[in-house]
Amino acid sequence: MAPKRVAIIGAGASGLPAIKTCLDEGLTPVCFERTDGLGGLWRYTDEPIEGQGCVMKSTVINTSKEMMSYSDFPIPDKYPIYMHNTQVYEYFKMYASHFGLEKYINYNTEVLHVKRSQNFELSGQWEVIHRNKQTEQETREVFDAVLVCTGHHADKHVPTFPGISEFQGKVLHSHDYKRLTGLKTKGSWSSG
């Protein structure tokens, strides 16, 4: 009997160990990552990308490396207890390289639709429609399971409230904030 195929959506902090766990359990992982690299939220980009969460340039993780480390691949001793986002990203790349996970990741591939297959009641299978963002080719595949590892920082919610349209300053969502540049002279800053 062929191993069960598992669709994994996202190659970030949850998607990477999902791939490894599938391999450990004798399952065949097929990971879909809509960007051109792994790391999810922790893969810093200078410009905001709609639908893609990203840390700020200065972000330092607020969880110790001992608490955030994958149990089967400890964070190297050379890293500080509270790591800068570039170190978190490097750790994810080391993890993927150590376990050979990248060969299971389909980069620049966006999942468009996930639904129960027509014979779901008998098979428990799922239909996944995905699109290669470079060729625009859409593909429909059936999987035995689906793991959604997309996080919750991808889409921004911009509230509306009375008076916002009259505000003379710049309204900036945290999704679009990357660095202090351009904001240093706005308001007053105090060190305590």
Side-chain angles (χ1 to χ4, degrees), residues 19 108 124:
I19 297 169
N108 294 304

Side-chain angles (χ1 to χ4, degrees), residues 8-9 12 17 20 26 50 63 65 79 117 122-123 164 168-169 182:
I8 300 168
I9 306 171
K20 179 172 182 299
E50 290 303 317
T63 303
K65 70 179 182 182
Y79 286 110
S117 66
L122 295 173
S123 70
I164 190 74
Q168 298 296 311

Side-chain angles (χ1 to χ4, degrees), residues 23-85:
L23 294 171
D24 289 348
E25 296 298 321
L27 305 170
T28 302
V30 180
C31 182
F32 301 105
E33 171 56 47
R34 67 176 160 189
T35 69
D36 60 358
L38 61 80
L41 177 70
W42 294 97
R43 185 171 173 247
Y44 175 80
T45 57
D46 280 326
E47 296 301 319
I49 301 168
E50 290 303 317
Q52 176 66 33
C54 180
V55 294
M56 295 176 284
K57 191 170 185 75
S58 61
T59 300
V60 173
I61 195 158
N62 62 359
T63 303
S64 72
K65 70 179 182 182
E66 292 82 9
M67 294 300 292
M68 74 152 294
S69 186
Y70 298 128
S71 62
D72 54 0
F73 191 76
I75 295 173
D77 290 338
K78 69 179 182 178
Y79 286 110
I81 294 172
Y82 295 97
M83 301 186 304
H84 185 266
N85 69 80

Side-chain angles (χ1 to χ4, degrees), residues 161-169:
F161 49 88
I164 190 74
S165 60
E166 287 84 38
F167 178 64
Q168 298 296 311

Side-chain angles (χ1 to χ4, degrees), residues 21-173:
T21 300
C22 284
L23 294 171
D24 289 348
E25 296 298 321
L27 305 170
T28 302
V30 180
C31 182
F32 301 105
E33 171 56 47
R34 67 176 160 189
T35 69
D36 60 358
L38 61 80
L41 177 70
W42 294 97
R43 185 171 173 247
Y44 175 80
T45 57
D46 280 326
E47 296 301 319
I49 301 168
E50 290 303 317
Q52 176 66 33
C54 180
V55 294
M56 295 176 284
K57 191 170 185 75
S58 61
T59 300
V60 173
I61 195 158
N62 62 359
T63 303
S64 72
K65 70 179 182 182
E66 292 82 9
M67 294 300 292
M68 74 152 294
S69 186
Y70 298 128
S71 62
D72 54 0
F73 191 76
I75 295 173
D77 290 338
K78 69 179 182 178
Y79 286 110
I81 294 172
Y82 295 97
M83 301 186 304
H84 185 266
N85 69 80
T86 55
Q87 294 163 320
V88 174
Y89 176 61
E90 286 300 317
Y91 171 62
F92 290 156
K93 291 193 320 186
M94 287 187 295
Y95 181 82
S97 175
H98 181 77
F99 292 111
L101 305 180
E102 283 205 80
K103 63 186 169 191
Y104 300 97
I105 303 172
N106 296 285
Y107 291 110
N108 294 304
T109 305
E110 182 175 34
V111 172
L112 303 174
H113 193 77
V114 176
K115 70 176 185 177
R116 293 177 176 185
S117 66
Q118 286 185 337
N119 66 344
F120 178 82
E121 297 301 323
L122 295 173
S123 70
Q125 293 179 318
W126 297 84
E127 178 182 300
V128 176
I129 300 172
H130 53 88
R131 176 178 58 217
N132 180 306
K133 291 174 64 177
Q134 294 172 324
T135 65
E136 295 298 318
Q137 179 180 345
E138 289 186 17
T139 305
R140 178 195 164 278
E141 292 187 75
V142 175
F143 292 90
D144 297 293
V146 176
L147 299 174
V148 180
C149 303
T150 57
H152 62 274
H153 296 287
D155 296 314
K156 59 186 177 184
H157 173 71
V158 181
T160 58
F161 49 88
I164 190 74
S165 60
E166 287 84 38
F167 178 64
Q168 298 296 311
K170 181 176 183 176
V171 176
L172 182 67
H173 193 282

